[in-house]
Amino acid sequence: MYKVKVNLGERSYPIVIGNGIISKLGVHLKAVNAGADAFVITNRFLKKKYGVKLSQALSTGGFTHCFHLVPEGEKAKSIAVASRVIKDLARFD
């Protein structure tokens, strides 16, 4: 596992990179006090490939979570998609 610092002065933050890191995500998020809920915005392909592992990792970290699916690529970059994401996020509890 590697940490790379994005140097932005007061807004600096680390990026963690490594093989198999998804399975450790919940524990890492809990360690940095990231809250108790996760709203995952993804597409069908990525959810199919990583969704089960991500869900297990978030549960292990004690996070309630849900997945919000958006279209792949440029289709996801629209006011209509952003509006649906915001509405679903507002309903997430």
Side-chain angles (χ1 to χ4, degrees):
M1 179 170 63
Y2 302 95
K3 285 188 180 181
V4 177
K5 182 178 180 183
V6 177
N7 197 357
L8 298 173
E10 290 182 18
R11 298 181 3 229
S12 296
Y13 58 91
I15 297 175
V16 181
I17 304 167
N19 289 332
I21 199 161
I22 289 176
S23 63
K24 301 171 187 164
L25 181 64
V27 173
H28 286 290
L29 289 174
K30 194 57 98 178
V32 297
N33 297 315
D37 304 311
F39 187 82
V40 182
I41 302 169
T42 188
N43 62 46
R44 290 186 197 283
F45 173 78
L46 292 174
K47 184 180 181 211
K48 183 177 180 181
K49 187 166 183 166
Y50 301 108
V52 171
K53 282 185 179 181
L54 181 56
S55 185
Q56 290 170 344
L58 291 169
S59 293
T60 298
F63 288 86
T64 59
H65 58 282
C66 73
F67 290 90
H68 180 90
L69 298 179
V70 296
E72 292 182 31
E74 293 299 313
K75 294 177 185 175
K77 299 175 185 177
S78 72
I79 296 297
V81 171
S83 178
R84 284 192 300 273
V85 169
I86 291 167
K87 286 177 185 176
D88 284 352
L89 179 57
R91 284 187 238 135
F92 175 60
D93 58 22

